[in-house]
Amino acid sequence: MNEQPYRQEADVPTLSPNKKYCYACASVLDVRAELCPRCGVRQMMSAPPQPQYAPHQVVVVGGEKSVGTAVLLALLFGPLGMIYSTGVGALVMFLANILVIVGTAGVGLIITVPVCAIWAANAVNTHNARIRQQAAMMIRY
């Protein structure tokens, strides 16, 4: 004898995404229904489905530079210290320092070295602002 345990398959309808069951009588309702038309029980409103977002993406645009480091290097090393902040500015100030050293026997460096520090600070601020702007543009898209 083939004895199998008694099993009755339940005929359970599969709900479409825009349908739900009534909380009281289990009749099939539209997901937007506030009241069950069969039993009249108010339905709990479920939260609307949240959109699925891609995981956060880290975008490295470039590193910021330190204003303090730029000023200190420019004060200590003049135009050579400006290489950290701006290559073109370092070259311009190097040539200017050569002319000042020759023309004033080095006394004019009292003026050109602080100019190097100010230029270096300005160049680093401009660089950092550009980096922040690029990062903001990447975040928007």
Side-chain angles (χ1 to χ4, degrees):
M1 258 191 191
N2 254 348
E3 284 193 37
Q4 292 180 346
Y6 177 74
R7 264 180 33 184
Q8 182 179 8
E9 297 286 328
D11 189 21
V12 180
T14 305
L15 290 179
S16 65
N18 61 343
K19 299 290 182 184
K20 68 178 180 179
Y21 291 108
C22 171
Y23 293 108
C25 69
S27 61
V28 177
L29 308 172
D30 186 83
V31 291
R32 298 169 293 177
E34 293 182 25
L35 298 174
C36 175
R38 183 171 171 208
C39 66
V41 172
R42 182 170 298 280
Q43 302 298 302
M44 294 182 354
M45 297 302 290
S46 59
Q50 297 296 320
Q52 298 296 322
Y53 294 107
H56 290 280
Q57 191 175 28
V58 176
V59 177
V60 178
V61 180
E64 289 192 1
K65 296 181 179 181
S66 168
V67 176
T69 302
V71 170
L72 185 64
L73 288 171
L75 287 174
L76 292 176
F77 303 109
L80 295 178
M82 288 179 65
I83 293 173
Y84 170 77
S85 56
T86 170
V88 174
L91 182 62
V92 168
M93 287 306 294
F94 186 78
L95 295 174
N97 273 355
I98 289 175
L99 293 175
V100 167
I101 289 171
V102 170
T104 64
V107 177
L109 292 177
I110 294 172
I111 295 173
T112 60
V113 171
V115 170
C116 288
I118 293 169
W119 191 338
N122 187 36
V124 168
N125 279 330
T126 303
H127 169 80
N128 290 344
R130 191 177 321 116
I131 292 293
R132 289 184 198 115
Q133 183 182 18
Q134 287 174 352
M137 293 295 286
M138 293 298 230
I139 290 172
R140 276 189 234 151
Y141 298 107

